[in-house]
Amino acid sequence: MTQGTATVVKNAGSHYLLSEIPLWNPFPALLRGKIRLKGSKITNPVAVGDVVDFIREDGDGPAAITAIHPRRNYVIRRSTNLSRQAHIIAANVDMAYIVVSLFFPELKLPFLDRILVTCGMYGVPVTIVLSKVDLYRDFAAQQINNFHRIYEGAGYRVIETSTRTGEGIDVLRSDLAAGAPALPDSAPRISLLSGESGVGKSSLIKAIDPALDPKVGMISEAHLQGKHTTSLYEMYHTRDGAFIVDSPGIRGFGLVDAGKEEIAKYFPEMLRVADSCRFVPCTHTHEPGCAVKAALEDGSISPERYNSYLGMLEEDGKFR
Ligand code: GDP
Ligand code: ZN
């Protein structure tokens, strides 16, 4: 019998693959007994990125997951916006790479801002990947500059990529591997790659490591014993030693349990100045002496971001 600690690298229904990260040695596992999250409507108690204890009898059988280590953070997806049922996409995420293209499909900034706020609430740092720039650099140079001004101004890192010209791919590749373990016992860096369908996530993963083929799936389905499942999450291991969780569209993210006063905390550029507002709490809408509105006037907070904020306040009201 073997006992050990490993990371979940694939989850399909009740079947899991574990790997002793930073080693890449995926092996099948099942949950032993009932591991339940308190008061939860979470459909998968154990998720990709979870660190678990396991035991394995000698022979070919799957290992048994016996305990989950506490999570640093996790990203969930709701079945529908108002549903209480949720699925954990990934746990212990070091960095979320949010992939957006300005065109094809056209990006709506409030959509991106909502995702950024959501990641903030999950406690997951974000890097924005502006993809497919070869397609619109010529006719949208101004919009690209504007995008950098807005999001770098707000405090986010923005990487431009094109899988056609190859620009930005090396930057992204080394960014993803930045925390790649040099020593076996150092913590691995786990990245989440997320974005709407069609923005080029699969193409990016292939460009980063041609041996990976996200559309096909890198780990043999045979391990998962033909069980029909609706949700499937997995981690990729690149040749540079990066660990990437590819997540399908993030439409279902939704805002998690945010109060009105909460939302502004997840706009880094507002958080920076909100201490100077005359009233606490301040909604940064009508209050006199509001530092956020002052920053808006002097141009250090962008009107686009502020409008997204107002939209979220309004919507939050509707759901309450
Ligand atoms: P996913 O749905 O996010 O995984 O997106 P895909 O990687 O499948 O890409 C969607 C479409 O965009 C495909 O037709 C790709 O060939 C195309 N595409 C992806 N990246 C780029 C890029 O950098 N430049 C151009 N011109 N097309 C791209
Ligand atoms: Zn204020």
Side-chain angles (χ1 to χ4, degrees):
M1 195 187 77
T2 331
Q3 239 176 331
T5 298
T7 302
V8 177
V9 298
K10 186 163 182 169
N11 169 210
S14 56
H15 295 259
Y16 298 87
L17 286 180
L18 309 182
S19 179
E20 288 168 290
I21 280 179
L23 290 181
W24 191 249
N25 60 341
F27 57 91
L30 296 167
L31 274 187
R32 162 185 273 193
K34 280 207 163 42
I35 297 181
R36 286 262 150 246
L37 298 174
K38 263 180 255 142
S40 99
K41 304 284 197 299
I42 302 263
T43 53
N44 56 332
V46 181
V48 168
D50 267 325
V51 178
V52 298
D53 293 333
F54 68 88
I55 54 172
R56 188 168 37 182
E57 307 298 335
D58 299 329
D60 283 344
I65 295 171
T66 53
I68 320 176
H69 293 208
R71 295 179 175 129
R72 279 182 290 120
N73 60 29
Y74 59 95
V75 176
I76 65 169
R77 175 197 185 92
R78 296 218 167 149
S79 326
T80 65
N81 224 355
L82 292 177
S83 159
R84 296 249 127 223
Q85 281 235 329
H87 194 93
I88 301 178
I89 294 173
N92 303 317
V93 176
D94 293 296
M95 180 69 77
Y97 291 83
I98 303 300
V99 185
V100 294
S101 172
L102 284 192
F103 298 96
F104 323 113
E106 185 173 348
L107 173 67
K108 302 271 185 288
L109 297 187
F111 171 81
L112 171 59
D113 292 327
R114 165 176 284 273
I115 291 163
L116 297 175
V117 165
T118 308
C119 287
M121 288 175 177
Y122 290 132
V124 179
V126 172
T127 296
I128 299 169
V129 178
L130 191 59
S131 67
K132 307 211 246 185
V133 287
D134 63 286
L135 283 179
Y136 47 87
R137 164 103 68 225
D138 290 344
F139 70 86
Q142 186 57 41
Q143 280 108 311
I144 294 176
N145 284 341
N146 215 28
F147 187 88
H148 280 281
R149 188 181 50 73
I150 294 171
Y151 289 97
E152 284 166 354
Y156 294 98
R157 172 163 160 75
V158 178
I159 300 175
E160 286 183 23
T161 62
S162 164
T163 57
R164 289 285 191 278
T165 67
E167 68 186 294
I169 301 300
D170 285 345
V171 177
L172 182 59
R173 186 187 290 121
S174 62
D175 215 81
L176 286 162
L183 298 166
D185 59 353
S186 67
R189 169 162 157 156
I190 296 176
S191 304
L192 179 71
L193 195 67
S194 208
E196 267 189 301
S197 168
V199 294
K201 294 184 302 297
S202 313
S203 306
L204 282 172
I205 290 177
K206 266 195 220 175
I208 285 158
D209 185 345
L212 300 177
D213 194 346
K215 293 269 151 82
V216 175
M218 195 188 68
I219 302 168
S220 165
E221 296 296 320
H223 283 306
L224 298 168
Q225 324 234 310
K227 187 157 193 253
H228 192 76
T229 51
T230 48
S231 52
L232 190 151
Y233 296 98
E234 76 176 291
M235 191 184 288
Y236 297 95
H237 177 238
T238 73
R239 59 181 175 192
D240 317 291
F243 298 95
I244 308 171
V245 181
D246 178 17
S247 143
I250 32 181
R251 232 173 250 287
F253 261 26
L255 280 184
V256 271
D257 307 323
K260 275 199 193 314
E261 329 70 47
E262 286 282 294
I263 296 173
K265 289 189 192 153
Y266 302 104
F267 281 77
E269 71 273 49
M270 294 192 192
L271 183 65
R272 278 200 295 268
V273 299
D275 270 354
S276 312
C277 291
R278 188 181 305 159
F279 293 96
V280 181
C282 180
T283 64
H284 318 304
T285 52
H286 58 273
E287 296 88 343
C290 172
V292 168
K293 297 205 79 172
L296 185 65
E297 306 257 301
D298 75 20
S300 55
I301 285 181
S302 85
E304 289 89 346
R305 293 270 296 166
Y306 185 72
N307 281 337
S308 291
Y309 169 68
L310 293 183
M312 280 180 224
L313 278 189
E314 211 169 283
E315 205 166 306
D316 182 63
K318 265 190 277 182
F319 286 125
R320 259 146 208 279

